[in-house]
Amino acid sequence: IKSCSFSHHFTSVVYQGATTCTSSGGGGGGSEEDTQDKPKGAFIVTNSPIPPQAPSFYWELELTSLDSGSNIPHLTFGYCSDPKKPLEGESWSYLEGTCLLRSTGRGCQVHGEDRMQWNKINLEGPLKTGDIIGCGWIKEETPEIKNVVYFTLNGVRIEQQFKDTPTDMYPFVHVQKKGMRLKLNFGDRPFSYPEGHTHRDAADVVEGETSEY
């Protein structure tokens, strides 16, 4: 991936490219979201989606170097559906069904063209260096609540969540700040959120072996 340095079996990332996301300064609602129409920077996605028969999945992202306290979305992460590289000359945007959380502490579930109708979540403040954020997916949390995407922060599950998401979701990270350092964890070391191990291991039980993500 251009402008990125990887280490520790491709689970540690340093973005070396130019900062591509800046404040629009326009005020008035939604300026942050407007910067996401044609995202640049580095878009990192797993080789495989969540196993189709898996009852759940979970992974974590440690923010080892972040522009803490910024109201500019230099980092976005979560789950996207069927990522495809746009053809030359085409713009790129988050696909229908994508569930994401930004470093500003704001997240959304992409659904339709009207952004006012998107489901949203808001943390108490922006993320900061040292935070560990988790991204989970549960096929059926209750008979009424299915295909749930949830987030955790430093070992605590965030109450707000998204439901009725697609089933063929890919974990992704989108970086737009030069010098940002991240460390991904797909279960090769202990999770900050203890229940995450149960949700992650369930995917391997279905697959019969550890999958490469």
Side-chain angles (χ1 to χ4, degrees):
I1 297 176
K2 189 176 181 180
S3 302
C4 284
S5 298
F6 292 88
S7 60
H8 297 86
H9 302 287
F10 292 95
T11 61
S12 184
V13 184
V14 181
Y15 178 56
Q16 304 287 9
T19 299
T20 62
C21 186
T22 58
S23 175
S24 64
S31 60
E32 175 188 305
E33 287 77 9
D34 292 341
T35 64
Q36 297 299 324
D37 280 338
K38 298 179 181 179
K40 299 180 181 179
F43 186 80
I44 305 167
V45 65
T46 57
N47 293 326
S48 305
I50 299 171
Q53 301 304 319
S56 59
F57 192 80
Y58 184 80
W59 63 287
E60 287 185 343
L61 180 68
E62 182 179 352
L63 312 180
T64 55
S65 178
L66 180 70
D67 186 12
S68 300
S70 173
N71 62 352
I72 301 173
H74 288 143
L75 173 69
T76 307
F77 47 89
Y79 293 103
C80 65
S81 56
D82 193 17
K84 293 181 180 179
K85 185 177 180 179
L87 299 176
E88 185 175 354
E90 289 184 341
S91 62
W92 183 92
S93 60
Y94 294 120
L95 299 176
E96 177 78 13
T98 296
C99 296
L100 59 87
L101 182 64
R102 300 187 177 109
S103 53
T104 56
R106 299 179 182 179
C108 65
Q109 180 180 12
V110 178
H111 182 62
E113 296 183 358
D114 185 358
R115 296 182 180 221
M116 298 299 293
Q117 300 302 316
W118 291 2
N119 295 323
K120 297 181 175 64
I121 61 175
N122 288 283
L123 307 185
E124 293 182 354
L127 302 176
K128 60 185 184 299
T129 297
D131 281 343
I132 299 177
I133 192 79
C135 305
W137 178 85
I138 303 175
K139 180 174 289 186
E140 184 173 337
E141 190 158 49
T142 69
E144 296 78 25
I145 303 177
K146 299 182 179 180
N147 296 334
V148 171
V149 167
Y150 68 90
F151 295 94
T152 66
L153 178 60
N154 299 324
V156 179
R157 181 167 171 173
I158 298 168
E159 184 175 351
Q160 304 166 79
Q161 61 187 22
F162 302 124
K163 60 182 181 179
D164 300 326
T165 67
T167 55
D168 56 342
M169 303 285 272
Y170 290 73
F172 81 90
V173 176
H174 181 206
V175 189
Q176 301 186 77
K177 176 71 173 180
K178 184 175 182 178
M180 185 174 293
R181 297 172 181 267
L182 312 169
K183 188 177 293 184
L184 284 68
N185 181 6
F186 286 97
D188 57 324
R189 57 184 184 276
F191 287 132
S192 174
Y193 177 56
E195 194 173 343
H197 287 284
T198 300
H199 293 169
R200 174 64 182 87
D201 291 346
D204 285 344
V205 170
V206 170
E207 290 291 282
E209 58 183 19
T210 301
S211 300
E212 294 294 331
Y213 291 96

